[in-house]
């Protein structure tokens, strides 16, 4: 046999190819360089030691962080994400130091240069953090400005409605302004709050500027509560802004109610006198009340005296109520209250006359009776008594009310009135003269039955008894009589119309019927 004794498969062994560079001698400086390079978050330590999978892991972690963090918003980077990333960087640095201790770097150069490069590259995460802080701060500022703008729009929209409807929106906007001023002091939004508060005040109190004083009251009262929660440095002079306006609104609203005859002027003026007792509007209250009393007094002589009397009586009560709610103003109002009371009482006479002329005899009688009771020394008491009598007669005999009774008395015609009734009877008469008197009951008389009164030849006061009687001297003309029994036998007064002529003597007879009353 022949062959090559030195063939490729005989006599020589081929060594295997190395899978990794042979380990280098331990180098602490190199280990530090790899660790610092990994701290940059770029995985360069792993890249220089040819650990590509681990380098890719570092790049992926940094990419995920950037994805979560960007774009920067007001909420900032989630704390959990930042903590996880920090732990990963620390692990990469520690592990990179272990790897770099015995692994040569791919790029030639001493380890100190690599360490210097790592230190320089630490500026990347540091600079990124600073940039992110600035971006986050700007995002926060923009978010606060957005909140401010939203509150501004809410105030503007609320200003298109009445305060009662917009009250809750005003409160919501104020909460935003307060939060910006208190919890975000120094922000650009907080710096604008004082200007916004001026707009806020003028918007809430806009009704005052349009002279809608009654509507402005609740809004201005609300503005006076704002300083309780908003820092004073944010308000400045606005703290006292509503006071004069509220005082003026209370006065103007109260005066309008007073002039219109409404009842709400009393609480308005009371609120003004108690809240702003030394204000200029408060000083106008007493003169305004006095002027209204004088106006009502003049109206007594007008076309509707009863309405004027009612107003004066109401003013008398209301002024007393106002003095009670605002004791400090009692001295200035007591004179007006007394005057309204006196004028109201005196005006009852004119009211009764007007009612009588209008044919409202029941009201006229009551009014004249009240006038006589209220005015012990009134100049019209005697005639008022006559008018009350005439009104009562006219309630039964309307024709008696065509002329207003006078205080005239006497005449040349004798009229004797007898009482054929067991009850006392008041006789009222009106015509050329007016008056009344009462006849005692006839002790031997009785109330007639209905059958008695319809019997042929029935004639009361004809039995020769000694009837209680009263004789009048009346003038010629028509006199209307009403007999009003005092007992329970009849509920309807009897009546008679007598046309008196000269040369005759007249007799009136009062009697009672068991179910009805009449006179002859």
């Amino acid at each position: 046999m022949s062959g090559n004794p030195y063939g490729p498969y005989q006599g020589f062994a081929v060594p295997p190819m190395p899978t990794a560079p042979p380990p280098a001698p331990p180098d602490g400086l190199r280990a530090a360089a790899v660790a610092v390079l990994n701290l940059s978050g770029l995985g360069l330590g792993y890249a220089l030691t040819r650990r590509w999978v681990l380098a890719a892991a570092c790049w992926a972690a940094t990419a995920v962080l950037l994805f979560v963090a960007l774009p920067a918003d007001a909420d900032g980077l989630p704390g959990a994400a930042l903590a996880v990333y920090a732990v990963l960087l620390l692990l990469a640095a520690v592990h990179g130091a272990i790897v770099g201790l015995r692994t040569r770097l791919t790029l030639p150069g001493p380890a100190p240069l690599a360490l210097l490069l790592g230190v320089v590259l630490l500026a990347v995460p540091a600079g990124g953090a600073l940039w992110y802080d600035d971006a986050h701060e700007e995002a926060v500022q923009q978010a606060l400005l957005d909140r401010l703008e939203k509150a501004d729009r809410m105030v503007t929209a609320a200003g298109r409605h009445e305060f009662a409807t917009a009250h809750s929106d005003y409160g919501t906007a104020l909460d935003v302004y307060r939060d910006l001023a208190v919890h975000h002091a120094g922000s650009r939004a907080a710096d604008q709050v004082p200007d916004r508060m001026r707009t806020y005040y003028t918007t809430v109190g806009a009704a005052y500027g349009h002279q809608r004083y009654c509507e402005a009251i609740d809004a201005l009262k609300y503005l006076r509560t704002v300083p309780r929660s908003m820092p004073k440095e944010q308000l400045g002079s606005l703290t006292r802004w509503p006071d004069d306006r509220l005082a003026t609104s209370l006065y103007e609203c109260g005066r309008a109610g007073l002039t219109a005859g409404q009842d709400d002027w009393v609480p308005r003026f009371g609120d003004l006198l108690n809240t702003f007792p030394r204000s200029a509007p408060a000083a106008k209250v007493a003169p305004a009340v006095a002027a209204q009393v004088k106006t009502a007094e003049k109206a007594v002589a007008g076309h509707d005296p009863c309405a004027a009397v009612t107003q004066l009586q109401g003013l008398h009560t209301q002024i007393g109520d106002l003095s009670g709610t605002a004791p400090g103003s009692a001295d200035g109002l007591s004179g007006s209250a007394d005057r309204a009371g006196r004028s109201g009482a005196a005006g009852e006479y004119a009211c009764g006359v007007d009612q009588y002329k209008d044919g409202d005899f029941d009201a006229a009688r009551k009014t004249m009776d009240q006038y006589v009771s209220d005015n012990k020394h009134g100049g019209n008491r005697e005639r008022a008594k006559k008018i009350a009598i005439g009104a009562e007669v006219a309630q039964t005999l309307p024709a008696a009310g065509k002329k207003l009774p006078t205080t005239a008395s006497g005449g040349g015609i004798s009229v004797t009135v007898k009482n054929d009734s067991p009850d006392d009877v008041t006789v009222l008469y009106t015509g050329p003269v007016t008056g009344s008197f009462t006849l005692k009951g006839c002790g031997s008389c009785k109330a007639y039955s209905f059958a008695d009164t319809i019997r042929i030849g029935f004639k009361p006061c004809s039995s020769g008894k000694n009837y209680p009687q009263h004789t009048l001297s009346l003038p010629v003309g028509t006199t209307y009589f009403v007999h009003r029994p005092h007992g329970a036998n009849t509920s309807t007064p009897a009546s008679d119309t007598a046309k008196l002529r000269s040369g005759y003597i007249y007799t009136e007879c009062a009697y009672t019927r068991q179910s009805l009353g009449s006179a002859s």
Side-chain angles (χ1 to χ4, degrees):
M1 295 182 64
S2 66
N4 184 0
Y6 304 103
Y9 302 105
Q10 298 180 19
F12 295 97
V14 179
M17 294 293 295
T19 59
D27 188 341
L29 194 59
R30 187 174 58 234
V34 174
V36 172
L37 285 169
N38 279 351
L39 277 178
S40 67
L42 302 176
L44 292 180
Y46 284 136
L48 293 181
T49 57
R50 299 174 299 280
R51 300 297 194 271
W52 300 110
V53 174
L54 294 176
C58 289
W59 299 335
T62 299
V64 170
L65 180 67
L66 293 176
F67 178 80
V68 173
L70 298 178
D73 56 27
D75 294 332
L77 185 64
L82 187 61
V84 169
Y85 185 72
V87 170
L88 290 177
L89 286 184
L90 290 175
L91 291 175
V94 172
H95 184 255
I98 296 172
V99 171
L101 184 63
R102 292 183 176 273
T103 305
R104 291 185 176 88
L105 302 180
T106 57
L107 295 177
L113 182 60
L115 179 59
L116 178 60
L117 177 63
V119 172
V120 171
L121 289 177
L122 287 178
V124 173
L130 292 176
W131 173 86
Y132 183 81
D133 284 343
D134 290 342
H136 173 250
E137 177 61 23
E138 180 60 25
V140 170
Q141 293 289 341
Q142 288 299 325
L144 295 177
L145 289 171
D146 290 343
R147 290 185 61 198
L148 180 67
E149 183 180 356
K150 182 178 180 181
D152 294 343
R153 290 196 301 269
M154 186 176 294
V155 171
T156 301
R160 302 187 185 102
H161 306 282
E162 293 185 358
F163 176 76
T165 303
H167 179 272
S168 60
D169 288 340
Y170 284 133
T172 301
L174 181 62
D175 289 340
V176 174
Y177 294 145
R178 181 189 305 114
D179 181 70
L180 292 174
V182 174
H183 299 109
H184 302 281
S187 66
R188 296 203 299 270
D191 291 342
Q192 298 181 44
V193 168
D195 288 338
R196 295 305 196 275
M197 291 307 301
R198 281 188 285 274
T199 302
Y200 183 83
Y201 269 64
T202 55
T203 302
V204 175
Y208 175 85
H210 294 97
Q211 298 183 348
R212 300 196 301 268
Y213 297 112
C214 293
E215 180 185 337
I217 290 174
D218 287 340
L220 293 170
K221 284 185 175 181
Y222 165 78
L223 289 175
R224 295 187 78 225
T225 68
V226 172
R228 299 176 188 173
S229 54
M230 180 65 71
K232 292 183 178 180
E233 60 270 15
Q234 299 291 332
L235 298 177
S237 60
L238 292 175
T239 302
R240 309 299 299 176
W241 188 89
D243 292 354
D244 290 342
R245 291 168 174 81
L246 177 57
T248 299
S249 296
L250 287 170
Y251 172 75
E252 293 295 343
C253 181
R255 186 179 63 84
L258 174 65
T259 304
Q262 300 170 351
D263 295 332
D264 61 351
W265 68 271
V266 175
R268 299 303 189 196
F269 279 172
D271 197 358
L272 170 60
L273 294 172
N274 285 310
T275 308
F276 307 103
R278 296 179 179 84
S279 65
K284 299 178 182 179
V285 169
V289 173
Q292 189 60 32
V293 171
K294 291 180 181 179
T295 300
E297 286 177 330
K298 293 179 180 178
V300 171
H303 69 281
D304 192 359
C306 293
V309 169
T310 300
Q311 184 181 13
L312 285 167
Q313 293 170 341
L315 285 170
H316 174 69
T317 301
Q318 292 167 331
I319 297 170
D321 293 341
L322 178 58
S323 298
T325 58
S329 64
D331 293 341
L333 295 170
S334 59
S336 294
D338 293 341
R339 182 168 181 171
R342 291 193 304 269
S343 299
E348 290 170 345
Y349 176 79
C351 174
V353 170
D354 188 66
Q355 291 168 331
Y356 191 97
K357 290 180 177 179
D358 288 342
D360 191 353
F361 300 118
D362 180 58
R365 178 181 61 81
K366 293 177 180 177
T367 300
M368 287 306 186
D369 287 343
Q370 188 65 46
Y371 170 80
V372 171
S373 175
D374 292 342
N375 297 271
K376 301 301 182 184
H377 305 288
N380 294 309
R381 288 186 86 248
E382 293 307 315
R383 193 177 186 192
K385 292 178 182 179
K386 302 288 187 180
I387 295 174
I389 293 171
E392 187 169 353
V393 174
Q395 285 183 262
T396 303
L397 299 171
K402 291 181 179 180
K403 293 183 179 181
L404 194 68
T406 67
T407 55
S409 62
I413 301 175
S414 177
V415 178
T416 300
V417 183
K418 299 179 180 180
N419 185 14
D420 186 4
S421 166
D423 301 316
D424 293 352
V425 174
T426 295
V427 179
L428 305 100
Y429 59 93
T430 188
V433 297
T434 302
S436 67
F437 58 89
T438 299
L439 292 173
K440 293 291 185 180
C442 174
S444 59
C445 299
K446 65 177 182 179
Y448 292 98
S449 66
F450 178 73
D452 291 335
T453 61
I454 64 174
R455 189 177 67 246
I456 296 176
F458 170 72
K459 190 175 182 180
C461 298
S462 61
S463 63
K465 296 179 182 180
N466 187 20
Y467 296 106
Q469 61 184 4
H470 181 80
T471 299
L472 299 171
S473 294
L474 299 175
V476 173
T478 302
T479 297
Y480 303 90
F481 291 90
V482 167
H483 304 159
R484 188 180 67 206
H486 291 193
N489 290 310
T490 180
S491 59
T492 303
S495 61
D496 184 32
T497 300
K499 297 181 179 181
L500 306 180
R501 293 181 293 174
S502 298
Y504 291 88
I505 296 175
Y506 294 87
T507 300
E508 281 280 323
C509 183
Y511 68 94
T512 56
R513 192 167 57 187
Q514 291 176 353
S515 58
L516 296 172
S518 63
S520 61

